[in-house]
Amino acid sequence: MITGVSVDLKEMDETDIEQVRQWRNSREVSAHMLSQQIISQEQQVKWFETVRNNATQCYFVIMAKNGNKLGVVNFSKIEHVTGTAEPGLYIGEASERNSLYGMEAYYLLLKYGFEELNLQKVYGTALVSNPTAMKMNKSFGYAVDEIVKDGIMVDGVPGDLVKLHLLRKDFYASPMVKFFQRSQHK
């Protein structure tokens, strides 16, 4: 368990996977994913069996302090030799999407990655049409590597992608890290 001020990150287990599948299949979440296919229960179970003991991936359920499950954060493509990984986040509970829970969960994930996994750099790809993700990534110190015009089809329409990266030093210099560090000391 990774403990925060308003949320904790609990390692995902088999009791979480159906809720995670329902969130992931919701249109509000899948619309912002690079893969937007509907996931069956069977596919979800197979996926979980693949990632559960895989050293290149780790998945956490975001837990509010009252015990409610809110969403998911993860690292995939963890490369221990090069110190790189690809983080991910989504808030499944619609009523909490505009709260700070997602920001704190992402902060906790990145801090875990840089401090516990000894990552030097994280990277990712986001839909340009997802302004929430773009704003959040900027607040944590991400830099844009490139914009890929028409890099993905979303509902049959070409969409643009942005490729980003975040170095450890830029994470610790970011406004969001300073905000959450102050919050933890209150």
Side-chain angles (χ1 to χ4, degrees):
M1 182 82 71
I2 300 170
T3 305
V5 174
S6 301
V7 298
D8 298 323
L9 305 182
K10 177 186 86 70
E11 191 172 332
M12 189 183 296
D13 63 37
E14 50 280 323
T15 66
D16 303 313
I17 63 173
E18 179 55 25
Q19 177 65 66
V20 168
R21 183 182 79 86
Q22 289 176 20
W23 286 334
R24 177 60 181 77
N25 283 342
S26 74
R27 186 66 190 134
E28 295 82 11
V29 171
S30 67
H32 301 292
M33 301 295 218
L34 298 182
S35 171
Q36 299 179 351
Q37 72 182 40
I38 298 296
I39 300 164
S40 71
Q41 286 180 324
E42 182 179 315
Q43 288 171 315
Q44 185 76 350
V45 169
K46 285 182 182 176
W47 166 81
F48 184 70
E49 290 304 319
T50 301
V51 301
R52 99 181 317 177
N53 294 313
N54 185 329
T56 67
Q57 301 184 60
C58 59
Y59 283 80
F60 300 96
V61 174
I62 304 165
M63 304 290 295
K65 292 297 184 176
N66 65 7
N68 289 344
K69 296 176 183 180
L70 305 174
V72 174
V73 288
N74 71 286
F75 280 119
S76 61
K77 302 176 187 172
I78 300 169
E79 294 287 341
H80 296 285
V81 173
T82 60
T84 60
E86 184 172 1
L89 157 75
Y90 62 85
I91 299 296
E93 287 302 314
S95 63
E96 303 300 345
R97 288 202 185 110
N98 293 318
S99 70
L100 280 178
Y101 290 140
M103 295 289 273
E104 184 180 3
Y106 200 59
Y107 161 74
L108 292 170
L109 178 75
L110 293 172
K111 184 176 179 229
Y112 171 79
F114 289 126
E115 293 180 5
E116 302 301 322
L117 300 178
N118 200 30
L119 298 176
Q120 301 302 309
K121 175 182 170 180
V122 296
Y123 61 90
T125 303
L127 297 169
V128 172
S129 61
N130 185 351
T132 302
M134 300 301 291
K135 184 177 177 182
M136 182 185 70
N137 288 330
K138 183 177 180 181
S139 71
F140 278 108
Y142 275 82
V144 173
D145 293 322
E146 77 176 297
I147 305 286
V148 181
K149 294 290 188 186
D150 298 337
I152 191 169
M153 294 297 284
V154 180
D155 295 328
V157 177
D160 297 342
L161 298 173
V162 60
K163 295 188 177 202
L164 313 134
H165 76 273
L166 174 63
L167 300 175
R168 176 195 292 247
K169 68 178 180 63
D170 295 331
F171 170 70
Y172 285 106
S174 74
M176 288 311 294
V177 169
K178 291 177 182 5
F179 171 80
F180 283 113
Q181 286 174 337
R182 281 192 306 271
S183 297
Q184 289 180 327
H185 293 28
K186 287 184 177 181

